[in-house]
Amino acid sequence: MQMTLSTPAREHYQNRHGDGKNRHRVDFLMEERSGSSQDLSGGTVQKQNWLITGVSTGLGRAFAEAALAAGHTVVGTVRSEEDLRAFEELRPGNAHGRLLDVTDDDAVPGVVAEVEQSVGPLDVVVANAGYGLEGTFEETPLAEVRRQFEVNVFGAVATLRAALPHMRRRRRGHLMAVTSMGGLMAVPGMSAYCGSKFALEGILEALGKEVAQFGIHVTAIEPGSFRTDWAGRSMTRAARTIDDYDELFTPIREARQKASGNQLGNPAKAGDALVHITSVERPPAHLVLGSDALRLVTAARTAVDEDIRAWEALSRTTDFADGAQL
């Protein structure tokens, strides 16, 4: 998609994205209007109120910065007073921090209700807070698996559930959650993480079909490998205890650690992609971000399709002859 920008806007875009002469530029032709703007793909960007969980670092921070740059108001949740102050300093008056642990079931609805009252009706909610847990299935303690699901699944569910009644009453809104390419494909040594993201994918897909009647959109965000701390200091790693997995898993762990800080994905561009889909009439139910994610997810889904086709005849043998089709 070719884009034309005014000189200041072009310089801002290049500064945010690190685009040099050898970088592709994905630009949106924007007409400035009072309170809204129009892009070439037909999306209209109205000023919106966003809530994003986990904005202190990583993709959550990038999403927040992109929404703020687009002129939106963003409420971002963090875990410390220091991070709260740093976030609000990004754009005083438009960036609002809130302290929140998304696994605190009692606190989440209260924060959302308070934001609705003090900041305004929420148009976009992004359940981003989460973390990676690396370890083979057999070596990962069950307590760590439970914690992974507590944050990645139940924390996201609590956030979206708290916002949904407000959006349902207004008959509009956009609910999103960050799953991962690991929610549509799986790799060795990430069973707990991929399991949590697969679970969230299923929840989001069903939710989207439930709330479409109310004018509410639901999008699963499926990033590939982005240049954040996800694979570095932010990742929890289960201890190695079983030598039998060394040949398979040791190179995978070492490669992931080596690649940390040099990943393919640009977080700022992911932020702009997210802002863009909130401006279109029919946003996607699934947003895969990154060419690596496109490649790996496509390969994984092709493998599933091949299994279905190869075993179709056996699958059909398990029906009752007079059973009802769904």
Side-chain angles (χ1 to χ4, degrees):
M1 186 175 355
Q2 186 63 34
M3 169 169 87
T4 303
L5 292 175
S6 65
T7 299
R10 186 180 297 111
E11 291 174 351
H12 171 72
Y13 181 89
Q14 291 173 342
N15 288 339
R16 287 188 69 241
H17 295 273
D19 282 345
K21 294 180 180 178
N22 298 320
R23 293 280 187 179
H24 289 293
R25 210 174 280 151
V26 181
D27 289 338
F28 297 72
L29 175 60
M30 307 297 288
E31 296 175 8
E32 292 188 2
R33 296 182 180 177
S34 175
S36 67
S37 55
Q38 187 77 24
D39 70 37
L40 279 177
S41 63
T44 301
V45 182
Q46 301 288 342
K47 301 306 180 187
Q48 301 165 337
N49 293 325
W50 287 50
L51 171 67
I52 307 174
T53 61
V55 298
S56 58
T57 60
L59 285 177
R61 184 58 160 258
F63 296 154
E65 289 178 349
L68 288 168
H72 301 311
T73 296
V74 179
V75 179
T77 74
V78 294
R79 298 290 299 276
S80 73
E81 290 283 357
E82 181 182 0
D83 287 339
L84 188 151
R85 288 191 296 272
F87 178 70
E88 292 190 334
E89 288 171 2
L90 288 176
R91 187 156 298 198
N94 285 72
H96 304 272
R98 294 292 186 274
L99 293 175
L100 181 65
D101 177 352
V102 296
T103 66
D104 186 337
D105 295 342
D106 295 328
V108 175
V111 168
V112 171
E114 181 274 322
V115 168
E116 284 265 340
Q117 193 70 25
S118 63
V119 177
L122 290 169
D123 302 293
V124 180
V125 173
V126 184
N128 164 76
Y131 70 100
L133 171 59
E134 183 193 73
T136 67
F137 177 83
E138 193 174 356
E139 291 175 305
T140 305
L142 188 56
E144 292 192 31
V145 177
R146 291 187 189 279
R147 177 63 181 169
Q148 179 81 118
F149 275 69
E150 190 67 34
V151 176
N152 289 4
V153 181
F154 297 115
V157 168
T159 301
L160 301 181
R161 278 179 58 88
L164 177 55
H166 302 283
M167 291 184 175
R168 177 170 49 77
R169 283 193 291 270
R170 290 189 290 269
R171 291 303 199 257
R172 60 181 173 83
H174 198 160
L175 297 172
M176 296 192 240
V178 178
T179 65
S180 166
M181 64 178 176
L184 296 174
M185 50 79 66
V187 294
M190 298 293 291
S191 59
Y193 178 77
C194 291
S196 72
K197 296 303 188 177
F198 266 71
L200 190 53
E201 284 279 339
I203 290 168
L204 293 171
E205 188 161 326
L207 172 62
K209 294 172 182 178
E210 292 172 2
V211 301
Q213 62 181 319
F214 307 130
I216 299 172
H217 303 295
V218 177
T219 298
I221 308 160
E222 295 128 354
S225 180
F226 275 77
R227 202 167 296 182
T228 68
D229 288 329
W230 179 85
R233 66 179 180 84
S234 296
M235 177 169 283
T236 298
R237 290 180 162 88
R240 296 299 320 284
T241 58
I242 304 174
D243 293 345
D244 282 347
Y245 293 108
D246 287 354
E247 184 177 354
L248 170 70
F249 185 55
T250 298
I252 293 173
R253 172 171 280 183
E254 290 176 349
R256 183 175 291 117
Q257 290 173 315
K258 184 177 180 180
S260 182
N262 193 41
Q263 293 95 330
L264 179 68
N266 184 329
K269 292 182 178 181
D272 282 345
L274 207 67
V275 170
H276 176 60
I277 67 165
T278 67
S279 74
V280 299
E281 185 177 350
R282 298 180 63 184
H286 300 274
L287 180 65
V288 176
L289 296 175
S291 59
D292 56 349
L294 286 172
R295 173 175 53 83
L296 293 169
V297 167
T298 298
R301 295 177 75 83
T302 298
V304 172
D305 290 342
E306 289 174 352
D307 266 353
I308 292 172
R309 285 193 298 269
W311 295 95
E312 180 180 356
L314 182 63
S315 298
R316 294 185 183 280
T317 66
T318 61
D319 288 352
F320 277 112
D322 58 350
Q325 284 282 0
L326 293 178

